[in-house]
Amino acid sequence: MVKLAATIFLGKAYAHAQNWLPGLVLQQPRSPQDVGRILYKGQPVGELSHADVLRPAAREVVHIVGSGPSIAAVDFSRVAPGEAILLNGAISLIGERIAAPLAIAVEDERFVWRHFPLMRDRIGAGTLCLFSVGVIRAICENDRTWLADKRVVLIDDLRKPYRLRRRSEEELAALDFAVVDGLGAGFSRDPARGVFQGGSVAVSALQFAAYCRPRTIGLFGIDITNAGEPRFYEKAGDTAGSGIAGAAGRIVAHFALARRVCAADNIEILNFSPVSALIGAGFPYDPRFAAAKAATA
């Protein structure tokens, strides 16, 4: 209802106001040394950290771990604590197959509504959390006390920024920290000022990972091709709907642009999913993390 009302009364330029309405106010940090605040219905509920908090925590290798079905066949024993950004349901790996993440990232509020108990169970105090505006609001609607002990970094959409009107392609191209391909894909060199969302939280997470300037970025479970199948943490018949399949072209285009930007910065991107749609876009499958198959009689 809020989304419909925002579209009708505020128009296309501000339709994304539904992400913060009703009741969410974000006071963003003005510098890496500053700390912002999250207020919900007039009450402080948590703090906002600058994206720079990721840099000292990151290692030479940063892995982005999605929740595609291919994750079930991955051996994570060689992924060190603090190396992985876990996306959505990949947080279920915490404490089991991944000791401790660098950060977790969620930008679709539907995940919060469907899996908030999982978030509450697996995401501990002090965890670096990359959250979109809509996700922060949805968390507050579920439990306004939960954010108090988390380190939250905002995933702000450059196309539809918090409290600002929607930007045109010309305005995006004029941003001095943005790289655009002229066909709809973009990449932000400064995620503290916003990122290009591209149909999957993996696109946003990649921009944060590159901001840490690692030597290598590894991609796990960014399958895209099998988005209609149960994610590795879901059971058959209990699969949430996904828009990834319909957005596959847009997702791949953003990754292809990111690959060019990262190559110029001497950052290598490796794909560890054998079924990923990224294979055809210059991300060949690297099998080094494939789990050993059980011996057959």
Side-chain angles (χ1 to χ4, degrees):
M1 291 176 64
V2 174
K3 184 176 182 178
L4 178 61
T7 303
I8 293 174
F9 294 107
L10 300 177
K12 186 177 180 180
Y14 279 98
H16 57 289
Q18 60 96 17
N19 288 326
W20 61 83
L21 296 176
L24 181 67
V25 175
L26 303 177
Q27 297 176 350
Q28 300 184 59
R30 296 179 179 145
S31 71
Q33 295 75 34
D34 190 20
V35 176
R37 295 202 302 167
I38 303 170
L39 296 97
Y40 182 66
K41 296 188 175 178
Q43 298 298 316
V45 297
E47 295 182 341
L48 271 181
S49 297
H50 193 277
D52 265 30
V53 299
L54 281 166
R55 283 180 156 170
R59 300 167 178 263
E60 286 194 352
V61 175
V62 174
H63 294 305
I64 297 173
V65 183
S67 54
S70 69
I71 286 297
V74 171
D75 175 11
F76 284 107
S77 63
R78 290 167 53 205
V79 174
E83 279 189 350
I85 299 176
L86 306 182
L87 315 180
N88 296 338
I91 63 176
S92 64
L93 299 171
I94 298 174
E96 294 183 0
R97 297 170 67 190
I98 289 181
L102 166 62
I104 62 99
V106 182
E107 72 178 19
D108 188 340
E109 69 172 90
R110 292 175 298 179
F111 181 83
V112 178
W113 292 111
R114 187 173 176 86
H115 297 292
F116 188 63
L118 175 63
M119 296 176 68
R120 187 153 36 198
D121 178 56
R122 295 301 176 103
I123 303 173
T127 302
L128 278 167
C129 301
L130 312 180
F131 289 152
S132 68
V133 178
V135 162
I136 295 173
R137 191 208 72 252
I139 290 171
C140 290
E141 291 186 31
N142 277 272
D143 181 356
R144 67 181 68 187
T145 69
W146 188 79
L147 292 169
D149 61 1
K150 311 301 185 298
R151 292 188 293 165
V152 180
V153 176
L154 182 65
I155 301 176
D156 198 12
D157 185 355
L158 281 172
R159 295 185 179 93
K160 304 172 186 178
Y162 172 70
R163 297 277 174 177
L164 297 176
R165 62 182 291 279
R166 181 176 184 143
R167 289 188 173 106
S168 67
E169 291 300 317
E170 292 75 18
E171 290 171 322
L172 292 168
L175 297 173
D176 60 3
F177 58 93
V179 181
V180 296
D181 68 355
L183 300 173
F187 185 93
S188 171
R189 291 185 176 275
D190 187 359
R193 298 165 69 183
V195 299
F196 286 88
Q197 294 185 359
S200 166
V201 65
V203 172
S204 299
L206 181 57
Q207 292 164 78
F208 280 98
Y211 184 65
C212 295
R213 300 305 292 266
R215 174 174 45 84
T216 302
I217 298 174
L219 307 176
F220 294 92
I222 314 299
D223 297 349
I224 306 171
T225 55
N226 51 12
E229 298 177 19
R231 300 161 182 87
F232 80 95
Y233 62 95
E234 294 178 327
K235 297 178 181 178
D238 188 35
T239 303
S242 172
I244 287 180
R250 184 158 58 107
I251 296 169
V252 172
H254 279 81
F255 268 92
L257 175 59
R259 180 174 175 269
R260 296 198 295 272
V261 175
C262 287
D265 292 332
N266 296 312
I267 300 172
E268 182 181 29
I269 303 178
L270 300 177
N271 166 45
F272 302 121
S273 169
V275 296
S276 177
L278 297 173
I279 293 173
F283 299 85
Y285 171 56
D286 186 316
R288 73 183 72 179
F289 288 94
K293 296 182 179 179
T296 56

